Amino acid sequence: MKLENPWKQNPWFESVAVAQERARKKLPAPVYGALVAGSERGQTIDENQRAFAELGFAPHVAGHQPERSMNREILGQEVSLPVLISPTGVQAVHPDGEVAVARAAASRGTIMGLSNFASKSVEDVAGTGASTFFQMYWTGERDVMIQRMQRAHAAGVKGLIATLDWSFSMGRDWGSPEIPEKVDLKTMVRFAPKVATKPRWMWQFGKTGTIPDLTAPNLQPPGGDAPTFFGAYYEWMTTPPPSWEDVAWMAEQWHQLSGTPFVLKGVYRVDDARRAVDAGVDAISVSNHGGNNLDGTPATIRAVRPVSEAVGDQITVLLDGGVRRGSDVVKALALGARAVLIGRAYLWGLAANGQTGVENVLDVLRSGIDSALLGLGLSSIDELRPEHLLIPAGFDRAVEGHLNTV
């Protein structure tokens, strides 16, 4: 007998903000807290969004274009909108996790980024047919990293993302959400009072006969068991941080193995962007890890124009951080980003309504991009330039090779 959802409601939402609110209502407090967490004061996570609001538009009253295009080639993949799925770890907010997100990405014609800290395997995610880019941290010995690259390549991924902008600050002024190492009977009993207040969340796991999975199958060694999230974290903590020579080695290994793009995520400074070019990367993401790295880093939208002007004619420049609306995407593209990556926005959609919720978020962003292009009198995202924005004096935060005062 098929179980019917007793909490079923109108699944459609008209904004990312509504998706966030539905996720907040549905998820246990520690789970939702992990999605919104930022390091220390949370300055950067707030600044990522606030900076977009400083940029304005000057719309036309007539001469609008009847047809508007968002199609673009990104890293060898044709996408139907310039919004990519950023890799995020352990998407156990929904039983289908990263598989649901990948299916949504495929259905909406965009790229799926899969974390090596994901709760679903690279084989399962790439097997959905989504254009999947596998993400790795610099963790473990070099032979272990090569083995993980080989596994991802064998699964059919279309590129590799190396994330280096993560210091995993545990210090948050409002307190860090508690994340168990694994979900077992003891953990379930301890978290029962918090989970009991959110029966809809547990109901969706119950009907599939599963429990939230906090292991990392993509870090599973041949013949061994998949580590827990904290086991993966321990490996990262005990691996010496990479040098630029290590970045060049990683890019070279991937290129020799697969011949597909190598993306470096976590670049903020112009001098780092130039060194990334020298290291042989194909693309960079201007990123501050969504406010989960070094708090006090300015919004990524403030750095994308200086970085793009410095290296955009040599490699692909992407942006992530603070994107909540289609107009945010248009602003990033006008300042030089080739596309944006989203993280929290699609996780809220996933928590709210699974694959359909992620598709909903992508549709909301698509609609916002289209509205902005219409108002600006443009027929394509390819026409976007800085002059389409009202940019306040001193908006950019360029760091060439020394720290600026602002």
Side-chain angles (χ1 to χ4, degrees):
M1 186 178 77
K2 182 180 179 180
L3 291 174
E4 294 295 332
N5 186 348
W7 298 279
K8 191 173 183 179
Q9 59 181 343
N10 179 10
W12 177 259
F13 41 81
E14 296 182 350
S15 70
V16 173
V18 174
Q20 180 180 359
E21 179 60 14
R22 290 194 182 178
R24 185 189 67 80
K25 290 180 178 180
K26 190 172 184 179
L27 295 173
V31 180
Y32 178 74
L35 294 187
V36 299
S39 61
E40 297 184 343
R41 289 187 182 91
Q43 286 177 260
T44 296
I45 189 173
D46 291 339
E47 159 73 354
N48 272 347
Q49 297 177 68
R50 191 167 50 240
F52 277 107
E54 295 181 24
L55 297 169
F57 294 117
H60 289 287
V61 70
H64 297 154
Q65 302 301 311
E67 296 182 1
R68 296 161 298 279
S69 172
M70 300 173 214
N71 296 331
R72 176 167 278 184
E73 181 182 310
I74 306 293
L75 300 171
Q77 305 299 308
E78 292 292 335
V79 299
S80 69
L81 79 166
V83 180
L84 318 181
I85 298 298
S86 185
T88 62
V90 194
Q91 294 175 17
V93 297
H94 187 275
D96 296 333
E98 294 84 358
V99 169
V101 178
R103 288 173 178 156
S107 73
R108 294 304 186 262
T110 192
I111 291 171
M112 167 70 185
L114 177 69
S115 173
N116 65 352
F117 282 13
S119 60
K120 303 295 183 183
S121 73
V122 64
E123 292 82 7
D124 286 346
V125 171
T128 64
S131 295
T132 303
F133 277 57
F134 185 64
Q135 177 263 358
M136 289 177 56
Y137 292 98
W138 181 264
T139 63
E141 300 294 332
R142 287 191 174 194
D143 60 341
V144 172
M145 295 183 209
I146 291 175
Q147 180 268 321
R148 290 169 182 164
M149 291 183 198
Q150 291 171 335
R151 178 181 172 185
H153 175 57
V157 304
K158 307 300 184 181
L160 189 75
I161 302 172
T163 302
L164 304 183
D165 65 325
W166 189 42
S167 61
F168 202 81
S169 170
M170 294 299 293
R172 297 180 172 92
D173 287 6
W174 48 269
S176 297
E178 182 181 3
I179 303 174
E181 182 172 3
K182 60 182 178 178
V183 179
D184 53 17
L185 180 60
K186 182 179 179 181
T187 301
M188 292 171 70
V189 170
R190 184 160 57 89
F191 277 82
K194 296 177 181 178
V195 173
T197 63
K198 305 294 182 180
R200 283 187 296 169
W201 186 66
M202 282 309 299
W203 177 86
Q204 66 184 1
F205 281 94
K207 70 176 184 176
T208 62
T210 61
I211 59 175
D213 187 359
L214 301 184
T215 59
N218 294 312
L219 298 180
Q220 182 174 356
D225 296 326
T228 64
F229 174 83
F230 285 100
Y233 173 60
Y234 176 78
E235 181 185 76
W236 173 76
M237 285 288 291
T238 54
T239 303
S243 65
W244 280 108
E245 289 73 20
D246 292 326
V247 175
W249 172 84
M250 199 175 191
E252 181 181 18
Q253 294 299 314
W254 180 252
H255 286 145
Q256 289 179 352
L257 175 65
S258 74
T260 60
F262 180 91
V263 183
L264 180 62
K265 184 174 179 291
V267 175
Y268 187 87
R269 299 167 60 108
V270 171
D271 53 349
D272 277 355
R274 291 194 175 103
R275 296 195 74 170
V277 173
D278 293 339
V281 311
D282 302 291
I284 57 174
S285 179
V286 179
S287 171
N288 52 35
H289 213 96
N292 268 308
N293 187 33
L294 182 61
D295 198 31
T297 304
T300 52
I301 191 64
R302 299 188 187 279
V304 71
R305 179 164 61 163
V307 168
S308 180
E309 289 176 347
V311 301
D313 60 342
Q314 301 172 76
I315 58 175
T316 298
V317 176
L318 309 171
L319 171 140
D320 73 75
V323 175
R324 302 289 185 270
R325 299 165 184 84
S327 59
D328 296 339
V329 180
V330 169
K331 291 170 182 178
L333 269 56
L335 292 179
R338 186 78 179 155
V340 305
L341 298 102
I342 58 170
R344 290 182 177 90
Y346 78 79
L347 289 174
W348 292 327
L350 177 65
N353 199 25
Q355 175 184 338
T356 302
V358 180
E359 292 168 348
N360 194 157
V361 165
L362 292 170
D363 290 344
V364 165
L365 296 176
R366 184 190 300 275
S367 176
I369 295 169
D370 186 65
S371 294
L373 292 176
L374 176 64
L376 292 170
L378 304 178
S379 62
S380 170
I381 57 174
D382 294 332
E383 299 171 15
L384 286 165
R385 300 291 184 273
E387 52 264 31
H388 292 115
L389 304 181
L390 302 174
I391 307 172
F395 178 80
D396 294 339
R397 299 287 191 270
V399 180
E400 291 284 346
H402 61 278
L403 294 179
N404 286 3
T405 57
V406 295

